[in-house]
Amino acid sequence: MSAAAGTEISLPLNIEEAKRFFAEYRVNMNVKITNAEIEFIEQPFIAPLIISSGAITEITEAVARVTVDVDGKTAVGKGSIYLSDLWAWPDPNLSHQQRDKTLRELCVDIAQNLYEYCGSSTAHPMELGLRLHESVCHKTPPPVLARAMCASPFDAAIHDATGIALGMSAFDFYNQPCEIPTAERFFEGSACKAIDAVISAPKTKLKAWYLVCKNDAKETLRPWVQGRGYQCFKIKILGQDNDYDVARTIEIYRWVTELGAKNVEISVDTNEANPDDASVLDYLLRLQAADIDAFNAFKYFEQPTGRDITIYKFDWNDVSKLKPVMLDEGLTSLELMNEAKSQGWSGFALKTCKGHSFALAAAAWAKQNDLKLSLQDLTNPGLSMIHAALFAAHVHTMNDVELNSPQFTPAANEKWLDRLGGLFDPHNGVHELESNHPVGLGSTL
């Protein structure tokens, strides 16, 4: 039994002593937010990231700083995320500049009102994060996905600061009883126990994934396969022409094998461009018939159809029998998890950009309901890449984690290269982490 920082106990405990200890532990996890700030950094892409709604060539990094008090211990934590407007808010009637301005304003509003958004009281950091998610996401506009994205660096900063204050990893907040009222109704038994059950002994090596865009050629892939040993490839296809998409998938599979990649793994993402489940099933059947090796290398589909699954409702059971189909953009509230399961989704494609608390709760629910997990990217730079890597190290998924900022925005990672080169400059097909994982969510690294 491990105690909270500063708590001394003698073992064994009798029942009354155990009750007192756990009460003290919960007090030590009662977090009060005392200040929040936001900073914006413009980051250029060295190559366009092309998705079905357009090309991302520049982006704003939002860096949150949150000060907390944990039973008299004060600490400042940090969290960051890209404000990826084209992904979270693909409205063709608004320019990137207009959307970016609105997202920045939302971040400023969250910083100025964080204590109120988190329920105006002290609580466990996950409870604060879930309250924040619900408070921010239940307002419009902008769309719910954009709002969750803007809230996420503050949620990460709360967890980071709490861990710094207590001298412990944010993934160790659940190994003693804790109260998370907002989550309890979604779980059989204790939410805290369910979350603790999904957190595993941390990995030190994570598979590295290369994101293959529409215009990438074989020579584009060569340095990543032959120089860095990549074996895993996420392919962006357009979801409108299965003849083209199957041919493109096979082409990329053959390119990387010709370049020397072994044990190749492929995932596919159309960014919701498929019209329905039948088109996805047709794509998989065509791929299976055309190239069984490429089909066998295919591991899962990221959400191929419209993001609102209460509107774009399909039966995914036939697709899931062939390959997993993972809910990504459509998972924006914990209330949607049962709906996703009833529609036959294979599992959840988690993203830390929707909130650390939300991602952990969804992962725990998926484990309890025998659904699969993957962990996807938002081209997480620097600190947010550390966060995603730590999440993947502790919450084991089918793909480990997609981390593509070394591919698109390497300049955002430069300040960490000297001490975390194994993570930010991957070789031998993996991102490497230190065996001793940091306090909080890694801002002290």
Side-chain angles (χ1 to χ4, degrees):
M1 181 181 294
S2 62
T7 302
E8 294 183 3
I9 60 172
S10 299
L11 297 177
L13 298 179
N14 62 37
I15 293 176
E16 291 306 314
E17 288 172 332
K19 286 180 179 177
R20 285 196 298 273
F21 165 70
F22 290 137
E24 284 184 20
Y25 186 88
R26 282 195 289 270
V27 168
N28 285 343
M29 292 299 288
N30 273 349
V31 178
K32 181 177 181 179
I33 296 164
T34 60
N35 190 53
E37 301 172 355
I38 191 73
E39 175 188 7
F40 303 111
I41 304 169
E42 295 183 11
Q43 301 283 11
F45 276 54
I46 62 171
L49 198 172
I50 300 172
I51 61 178
S52 61
S53 52
I56 301 172
T57 57
E58 58 182 347
I59 206 161
T60 297
E61 180 183 3
V63 182
R65 291 175 179 82
V66 175
T67 306
V68 303
D69 181 279
V70 191
D71 284 354
K73 302 179 181 70
T74 299
V76 179
K78 295 172 65 177
S80 83
I81 205 66
Y82 277 147
L83 301 182
S84 185
D85 59 288
L86 194 61
W87 170 75
W89 190 6
D91 185 342
N93 297 313
L94 298 173
S95 68
H96 162 70
Q97 289 74 21
Q98 289 173 309
R99 293 189 300 250
D100 184 72
K101 179 176 181 291
T102 300
L103 296 176
R104 291 188 187 213
E105 290 170 349
L106 176 55
C107 288
V108 170
D109 173 67
I110 296 170
Q112 292 174 342
N113 299 284
L114 184 61
Y115 182 69
E116 289 76 17
Y117 277 131
C118 292
S120 301
S121 64
T122 62
H124 188 281
M126 170 168 268
E127 176 64 17
L128 295 176
L130 291 177
R131 291 178 188 172
L132 172 64
H133 183 90
E134 289 196 350
S135 298
V136 172
C137 290
H138 283 174
K139 297 184 177 183
T140 56
V144 62
L145 198 59
R147 290 185 159 270
M149 179 180 67
C150 290
S152 68
F154 296 95
D155 188 2
I158 292 168
H159 283 79
D160 188 51
T162 304
I164 293 170
L166 297 177
M168 62 195 298
S169 165
F171 295 93
D172 291 335
F173 291 171
Y174 311 91
N175 55 18
Q176 299 293 346
C178 59
E179 297 176 354
I180 312 171
T182 299
E184 296 299 337
R185 69 185 186 275
F186 298 104
F187 292 95
E188 297 177 10
S190 162
C192 181
K193 286 184 178 179
I195 293 160
D196 187 50
V198 82
I199 297 173
S200 302
K203 295 181 177 182
T204 57
K205 293 185 178 181
L206 304 167
K207 290 181 286 191
W209 286 77
Y210 182 88
L211 196 159
V212 186
C213 292
K214 176 184 176 183
N215 297 326
D216 281 354
K218 184 176 181 179
E219 287 306 305
T220 312
L221 301 172
R222 184 181 298 276
W224 297 87
V225 176
Q226 296 183 344
R228 295 178 178 269
Y230 274 52
Q231 301 179 100
C232 302
F233 304 89
K234 172 177 168 176
I235 303 173
K236 292 283 189 180
I237 56 177
L238 301 182
Q240 300 298 304
D241 182 343
N242 278 347
D243 284 337
Y244 174 85
D245 287 344
V246 168
R248 177 65 170 166
T249 305
I250 294 170
E251 177 182 55
I252 292 163
Y253 173 78
R254 291 179 180 174
W255 281 350
V256 298
T257 54
E258 289 166 6
L259 290 169
K262 307 293 184 184
N263 303 313
V264 173
E265 296 183 26
I266 290 171
S267 69
V268 164
D269 184 13
T270 68
N271 286 103
E272 312 149 69
N274 282 82
D276 51 35
D277 59 313
S279 67
V280 178
L281 182 62
D282 178 69
Y283 164 87
L284 288 173
L285 291 172
R286 288 173 185 244
L287 180 63
Q288 185 180 39
D291 191 318
I292 192 61
D293 291 331
F295 179 80
N296 289 337
F298 189 108
K299 298 305 176 186
Y300 63 95
F301 233 119
E302 278 186 62
Q303 181 164 357
T305 50
R307 62 185 54 180
D308 188 340
I309 65 170
T310 65
I311 297 174
Y312 300 100
K313 298 180 69 168
F314 302 107
D315 182 347
W316 292 105
N317 285 289
D318 287 342
V319 172
S320 293
K321 290 174 185 176
L322 282 178
K323 295 291 180 179
V325 57
M326 310 294 284
L327 183 63
D328 181 353
E329 291 88 356
L331 184 64
T332 52
S333 73
L334 298 180
E335 283 81 2
L336 288 168
M337 296 186 298
N338 261 319
E339 177 64 24
K341 184 179 179 181
S342 71
Q343 292 181 18
W345 291 91
S346 308
F348 303 148
L350 303 175
K351 279 188 168 82
T352 54
C353 68
K354 297 182 195 176
H356 180 80
S357 300
F358 180 81
L360 260 185
W365 191 91
K367 180 178 175 67
Q368 203 170 74
N369 286 270
D370 298 318
L371 297 183
K372 300 179 186 297
L373 293 172
S374 68
L375 186 59
Q376 307 305 145
D377 203 3
L378 199 69
T379 313
N380 294 327
L383 182 57
S384 60
M385 183 169 163
I386 295 171
H387 176 196
L390 290 174
F391 195 102
H394 288 85
V395 179
H396 298 174
T397 68
M398 61 173 27
N399 69 324
D400 285 353
V401 61
E402 174 200 351
L403 298 170
N404 62 54
S405 68
Q407 180 182 344
F408 291 103
T409 63
N413 302 331
E414 286 180 353
K415 64 181 286 187
W416 283 277
L417 279 177
D418 288 345
R419 42 192 202 282
L420 296 173
L423 172 61
F424 288 101
D425 187 24
H427 285 80
N428 301 315
V430 296
H431 300 276
E432 295 191 48
L433 295 167
E434 299 290 334
S435 57
N436 295 322
H437 284 216
V439 297
L441 286 176
S443 73
T444 58
L445 288 174

